[in-house]
Amino acid sequence: MNSALKDQVLAGKTVFVAGGSSGINLGIAQHFARAGAKLALISRSEDKIAAAAKTITDEGFEAIGMAADVRDYAAVEGALRQAHDRFGDIDVVISGAAGNFVAPALGMSANGFKTVVDIDLIGTFNVLRASYQFLRRPGASLISITAGQAVRPALFQAHVCAAKAGINMLTKCLAMEWGPSGVRVNAISPGPIAETEGMARLAPSPEAEARIKARIALRDYGTKTDIAEAAAYLASDSARYITGTILNVDGGSELGDAGGDALGPFS
Ligand code: NAP
Ligand code: COA
C-alpha cells in the first residue's frame, strides 16, 4: 500500500495488539503507528512490552504497553479498558499472542498441550470477546493471527494445529455473530516469516531454512512488513465487505509442496 493511502486509512485509529512485544505483532504495531495510529500493546512481560512501546514512542508516535496474560480474561479486559480510556473507541484489534515448541504428542504432557491451546485459542477468545464492549461499532476490524498448521497437519505440532484450527473456526463464528453490528472478524495466516521467534523454533538451522524455502511456491520467507501490509488492508475500508476470511500471506505455502522442478518437462 502506498504511504498516502496508508495514512488515510490508519491515521487517528486506535489499535490494540495482543502479543505485541516482539516479532510479527510488533511489526504490525510499528507499521500502523508510522501510519498515524495510536497503539496499545499487551504481553506477559512488563519489561518486554514497555520496551516494545518505547520503540514506537521513540519514533515520535503514540503507544502504551501493558503487562497482561491473554489467559487471564480480567487482565485482558482491564488492559482494553485502559486503552479505551486513553485513546477512545477501539478500531482495530490484532490477536496474535502465541506459544510454540516442537514436540511429538508423546513428548508433551497434558499441561504442555493445554498451555498452547490456552494461549493461542482461549487467549484469542478472551481478547476478541473482551474487546467487543470497547469497539467502534459499526466499523471495527478484528484480525487474529493464525497459521498454516490450522489446515495442514504437521509433525510435532499437534498442540499448535489444534489451537490454530480453533482460531480459524472462531473467526468465522464471530464474523457471523458480530457482522450485524458492523464488526468485521478476519484472520491472517502467515507463511514462514524471516527474523521471528516462530521460525527460530521451527527451522533453527540454515539447512532447515533452505529446505523449507525450496518447497514454497515463491521460494522465500516473507517479511514482517508483508504481514503488516495485509493487516493494514483488512483494517481499511477497502476491505469493508470482507469478514470471516482467513487471508493467507504465505508465498503459496498452503498450496502444498512445490519443491523440486515445479515446471517439470516445461521448465
Ligand atoms: P513472537 O515474537 O514470539 O510473538 C509472540 C508474542 O506473544 C510475544 O509478544 C509474546 O510476548 C506474546 N505472548 C506469548 N504468550 C503470551 C500470553 N500468554 N499472553 C500475552 N502475550 C503472550 O512470535 P512470532 O513468530 O512473531 O509469532 C507471532 C504470531 O504469528 C503468532 O500468533 C504465531 O503463531 C504467528 N505465526 C508466525 C509465523 C512465523 O513465521 N513466525 C508463521 C505463522 C504464524 P511475551 O513473551 O512478552 O509475553
Ligand atoms: N517440549 C515439551 N513440553 C514442553 C516444552 C517442550 N519443548 N516446552 C514447554 N513444555 C511444557 C512444560 O514442560 C510444561 O508442562 P508440565 O507442567 O507438564 O511440565 C508446559 O509446557 C508449560 O510450560 P511453561 O514453561 O510453564 O509455560 P509458559 O506459559 O511459561 O510458556 C511456552 C509457554 C511453553 C509456549 C513457551 O515456549 C513460551 O513462552 N512461548 C512464547 C514464545 C513463542 O513460543 N513464540 C513463537 C510463537 S509461534
Side-chain angles (χ1 to χ4, degrees):
M1 193 181 290
N2 72 44
S3 59
L5 180 56
K6 206 163 64 187
D7 287 350
Q8 188 189 328
V9 162
L10 292 166
K13 289 204 167 162
T14 299
V15 179
F16 184 89
V17 181
S21 69
S22 57
I24 290 172
N25 307 316
L26 177 57
I28 295 171
Q30 291 167 334
H31 189 83
F32 278 34
R34 289 177 193 132
K38 300 168 286 187
L39 270 298
L41 315 178
I42 65 164
S43 85
R44 291 167 300 180
S45 156
E46 187 103 48
D47 291 347
K48 278 177 66 182
I49 205 65
K54 189 167 180 302
T55 66
I56 293 173
T57 54
D58 280 353
E59 284 191 48
F61 306 120
E62 281 192 271
I64 52 171
M66 295 164 280
D69 191 315
V70 294
R71 293 168 284 190
D72 178 345
Y73 187 88
V76 170
E77 187 178 38
L80 281 154
R81 188 181 307 283
Q82 276 191 61
H84 184 260
D85 288 350
R86 172 82 177 261
F87 295 137
D89 285 353
I90 296 177
D91 297 285
V92 180
V93 175
I94 307 288
S95 177
N100 194 357
F101 51 81
V102 176
L106 294 178
M108 87 182 64
S109 65
N111 190 47
F113 184 86
K114 179 178 182 296
T115 297
V116 169
V117 172
D118 275 350
I119 299 172
D120 293 29
L121 177 55
I122 311 292
T124 293
F125 178 81
N126 289 344
V127 168
L128 301 184
R129 169 70 181 83
S131 75
Y132 187 83
Q133 63 187 305
F134 302 113
L135 297 177
R136 186 177 307 287
R137 300 193 304 270
S141 173
L142 313 186
I143 303 167
S144 297
I145 309 298
T146 182
Q149 287 96 322
V151 293
R152 270 180 296 123
L155 287 171
F156 313 137
Q157 291 281 277
H159 47 349
V160 175
C161 290
K164 294 292 194 182
I167 290 177
N168 285 19
M169 193 50 85
L170 181 64
T171 300
K172 295 173 194 194
C173 291
L174 296 186
M176 289 182 84
E177 292 193 17
W178 297 350
S181 311
V183 174
R184 294 183 298 107
V185 189
N186 294 291
I188 292 173
S189 181
I193 301 303
E195 292 161 29
T196 60
E197 180 60 28
M199 288 319 292
R201 289 176 184 226
L202 291 174
S205 67
E207 295 73 30
E209 188 174 319
R211 272 199 305 276
I212 290 175
K213 286 181 180 170
R215 292 200 295 260
I216 299 175
L218 290 183
R219 295 286 192 272
D220 202 1
Y221 279 6
T223 66
K224 290 173 219 168
T225 304
D226 291 327
I227 305 305
E229 293 276 7
Y233 168 66
L234 284 178
S236 76
D237 284 346
S238 301
R240 60 172 285 279
Y241 204 51
I242 297 178
T243 197
T245 289
I246 314 298
L247 177 58
N248 295 331
V249 185
D250 68 352
S253 300
E254 196 181 306
L255 304 173
D257 187 346
D261 179 3
L263 289 176
F266 302 103
S267 62

